[in-house]
Amino acid sequence: MMEKPVTQIVVDELKGMVRCAYTDISEGQMHYRYQGSGEKTLLLLHMALSSSDEFTRMIPLLSKKYRVIAPDHLGYGESGMPPREYEIPDYTQSIDNFMDSLNIEKANILGHHSGAAIAVEIAVTNPDRVDSLILSGLPCYKDQHTVLAMRELPEMQ
């Protein structure tokens, strides 16, 4: 007699502690994860082709000291689609609008890959909104030719 396969459900206690919500900005609806009530806000910006889910195991650990908020960029995760094709300055504006929608005047900002590029752009264009930057895997290209060639790769579309 053949045994029935057993399905195991793995409960990730850290992920289960993180709350989710939506907020409206002028470009559409943004989904975000949050936890903590610290005096300072830590904003986590995910890389392209990902979502705020990449931070869900970190959020409970960071929320012991900070109010941690991790949005899904427009077009990713559970957020709505952007009204047109977006580039870094557009995502930067949407994060600025996101911060306004949650009454976040200033935040520590952690960015991962393209999230790091957005974080740098926020710091350059609106430095009064940034307490500190934490950058992981910041893309750095020496010439415009490389940037243009990278944009043509199928995985970058």
Side-chain angles (χ1 to χ4, degrees):
M1 184 165 126
M2 225 171 163
E3 286 186 40
K4 285 179 125 181
V6 176
T7 303
Q8 287 186 329
I9 298 174
V10 177
V11 177
D12 189 331
E13 291 175 15
L14 288 177
K15 280 188 169 188
M17 298 166 58
V18 177
R19 309 274 307 171
C20 294
Y22 289 89
T23 189
D24 292 319
I25 62 171
S26 59
E27 300 98 313
Q29 191 175 62
M30 287 185 71
H31 172 263
Y32 63 99
R33 298 167 199 276
Y34 67 97
Q35 188 177 12
S37 57
E39 188 177 310
K40 293 191 175 207
T41 298
L42 175 58
L43 194 62
L44 307 176
L45 303 180
H46 66 82
M47 67 180 175
L49 307 177
S50 185
S51 73
S52 61
D53 185 54
E54 75 178 64
F55 298 117
T56 52
R57 298 204 70 222
M58 291 174 49
I59 292 171
L61 304 172
L62 297 168
S63 70
K64 293 175 182 173
K65 185 175 180 183
Y66 298 96
R67 172 186 177 211
V68 182
I69 301 172
D72 289 342
H73 298 299
L74 291 173
Y76 296 95
E78 300 297 318
S79 287
M81 293 301 292
R84 57 182 167 68
E85 188 175 325
Y86 266 25
E87 294 186 9
I88 295 298
D90 303 307
Y91 285 110
T92 300
Q93 182 61 53
S94 69
I95 294 299
D96 191 51
N97 294 340
F98 173 80
M99 291 174 71
D100 287 344
S101 76
L102 297 181
N103 297 314
I104 301 169
E105 291 181 33
K106 195 172 199 173
N108 297 287
I109 303 175
L110 179 149
H112 181 61
H113 287 261
S114 56
I118 295 166
V120 167
E121 188 77 12
I122 292 168
V124 169
T125 60
N126 209 343
D128 292 342
R129 296 205 87 160
V130 180
D131 269 330
S132 65
L133 286 179
I134 305 146
L135 306 173
S136 167
L138 179 65
C140 181
Y141 307 105
K142 293 183 180 183
D143 61 76
Q144 187 67 15
H145 176 73
T146 303
V147 173
L148 294 173
M150 294 267 309
R151 285 186 181 173
E152 297 303 316
L153 295 172
E155 60 269 22
M156 299 301 280
Q157 300 302 311

